[in-house]
Amino acid sequence: LACSRFANDLEGHDEFYFDIDSALKYVDFFSKFLKHSKGKFAGQSFELLPWQEFVVANIYGWKSKETNLRRYRTAYIQVGRKNGKSTMLSGLSLAMLDFDNEQGSEVYFCATKRDQARICFDEAARMVKSSPSLSKRIGVHRANMHVKKTNSKAEPLSSDKNSLDGLNAHLAVVDEYHAHPTSHVYNVLKSSMGSRSQPLMMTITTAGFNVDGPCYHLARTCKEVLDGQKTDDSLFSMIYELDEDD
């Protein structure tokens, strides 16, 4: 359904257009500047898998005809374990930190526990250290990455309320949203983006079982948009799961 939506919009959309140069700029960012840091691919350039490339191209390719700003402000990705979701998120965070021409960019990784939030942060930090280009621009500390030239930063956060005050997020990543008991963290992060011109609220998760949780309700909304039951041109979603009754 996500692919069908993309194809249909390519044929002509009243409000948005697909900027192929912008899409390729961000797709190429991964292979040009990032390297894998673990496992059998350690040290090799980060070549996006087809599903990852589709996600990146959609998020950074679609723009408003009126403003030329990006179309999608919210993204929901649901995919099974061991498909490279955390690695892709780490690369996206570095693109939003130091490749997006955003002064004072603030990038946050958030999960129910700080250790979970650090998974993507730590992977991004390792990518910086293994990249000659990025390591010259991005400083890395234990719980902070920063770009002095643009006064930008990236940090891991837990769902503790005290750590969510005074944020001005350009990118907020909510990892494993199915484990969140409420939408408090999600709502606080999204509301912190009010002064940004093209922020991104990024939720990525494996499937969960809590039908009363906020992740289930967000996924249901995404499906309704993909099914054509609702309209939300600012929401991108890519959901990998079995079809009902399959």
Side-chain angles (χ1 to χ4, degrees), residues 19-218:
D19 185 341
I20 184 65
D21 291 331
S22 178
L24 290 175
K25 172 186 173 182
Y26 285 88
V27 168
D28 291 344
F29 170 80
F30 283 80
S31 59
K32 288 182 178 179
F33 296 104
L34 305 180
K35 296 182 182 297
H36 289 279
S37 66
K38 295 189 296 184
K40 63 180 181 180
F41 297 114
Q44 297 183 26
S45 296
F46 191 159
E47 298 289 344
L48 290 168
L49 296 170
W51 80 269
Q52 295 171 327
E53 186 169 323
F54 182 76
V55 169
V56 172
N58 267 276
I59 290 173
Y60 295 102
W62 284 105
K63 295 183 178 180
S64 165
K65 291 180 179 179
E66 180 180 356
T67 65
N68 285 322
L69 296 175
R70 288 193 291 264
R71 166 185 181 176
Y72 291 122
R73 304 302 169 82
T74 304
Y76 176 82
I77 314 298
Q78 182 179 308
V79 64
R81 298 182 186 278
K82 303 302 179 182
N83 277 291
K85 69 179 181 67
S86 295
T87 311
M88 181 184 70
L89 276 181
S90 300
L92 277 175
S93 69
L94 295 175
M96 297 288 277
L97 175 68
D98 190 39
F99 197 64
D100 211 32
N101 297 319
E102 182 76 11
Q103 292 294 316
S105 176
E106 295 182 20
V107 173
Y108 298 107
F109 307 88
C110 196
T112 53
K113 297 181 180 179
R114 193 174 180 86
D115 288 346
Q116 178 68 34
R118 287 196 64 98
I119 292 176
C120 289
F121 174 86
D122 290 342
E123 177 64 18
R126 286 190 291 267
M127 287 179 173
V128 170
K129 292 177 181 178
S130 64
S131 169
S133 298
L134 294 183
S135 60
K136 294 177 183 178
R137 298 172 54 85
I138 303 176
V140 178
H141 295 298
R142 184 178 179 277
N144 169 275
M145 290 184 287
H146 59 274
V147 182
K148 288 186 177 180
K149 186 176 181 179
T150 58
N151 195 32
S152 300
K153 66 177 181 179
E155 296 175 345
L157 300 174
S158 68
S159 58
D160 182 279
K161 294 182 180 180
N162 294 328
S163 70
L164 301 175
D165 295 332
L167 305 181
N168 185 10
H170 180 50
L171 169 68
V173 174
V174 178
D175 195 14
E176 297 295 9
Y177 194 33
H178 71 86
H180 288 240
T182 73
S183 61
H184 171 75
V185 172
Y186 184 95
N187 293 336
V188 169
L189 289 169
K190 194 165 187 178
S191 66
S192 76
M193 298 176 169
S195 64
R196 300 288 181 179
S197 60
Q198 48 182 3
L200 179 63
M201 184 73 201
M202 184 83 171
T203 302
I204 193 159
T205 187
T206 51
F209 300 98
N210 182 9
V211 296
D212 293 320
C215 185
Y216 179 85
H217 293 289
L218 176 58

